[in-house]
Amino acid sequence: MMSENFQPNLKAKPNLKAKIMLDLRGTKCPLNFVKTRLAVEKLSIGEVLEVWIALEGESTLNIPNSIRQEGHKVIDTQDMPGEGYQKIRIERRK
């Protein structure tokens, strides 16, 4: 379910490079969130994770919302409809 406060920021901080890139296009919910959360935990505060998830189901809404609830920052999301996936960049905050 999408939060009323959710507003993807497609122009935020394009210069931040991801420390880790995680391709979860073939991974279903909720395992894709679990793997995303574990990858964020490997980062130092301020480092960035880029996750690729399939444009199907509710993962494109649930993962960003859940990451925010965990206390981290979703820098931006970018749908890649021709490729069938969404990129999510996450900054570890705590």
Side-chain angles (χ1 to χ4, degrees):
M1 175 168 272
M2 188 166 157
S3 166
E4 291 179 16
N5 296 329
F6 176 74
Q7 299 207 357
N9 187 349
L10 301 177
K11 297 178 184 174
K13 301 182 183 179
N15 57 339
L16 283 180
K17 299 286 184 189
K19 174 83 174 181
I20 300 174
M21 201 293 287
L22 190 60
D23 186 348
L24 298 176
R25 290 178 282 184
T27 307
K28 302 291 182 192
C29 229
L31 190 56
N32 54 12
F33 170 69
V34 172
K35 289 184 175 188
T36 298
R37 188 177 67 196
L38 291 172
V40 169
E41 290 174 1
K42 291 180 182 178
L43 298 172
S44 296
I45 293 173
E47 288 183 328
V48 176
L49 167 69
E50 181 174 299
V51 181
W52 295 4
I53 59 171
L55 282 175
E56 56 189 39
E58 295 188 13
S59 294
T60 57
L61 303 174
N62 291 342
I63 290 176
N65 287 337
S66 296
I67 288 297
R68 283 187 193 90
Q69 289 174 354
E70 296 271 323
H72 306 293
K73 180 178 181 180
V74 175
I75 298 167
D76 59 22
T77 61
Q78 182 178 6
D79 288 352
M80 309 297 284
E83 305 291 326
Y85 69 95
Q86 180 184 71
K87 291 181 188 180
I88 304 170
R89 288 192 312 146
I90 300 162
E91 180 181 349
R92 182 171 180 173
R93 286 291 177 98
K94 60 177 192 164

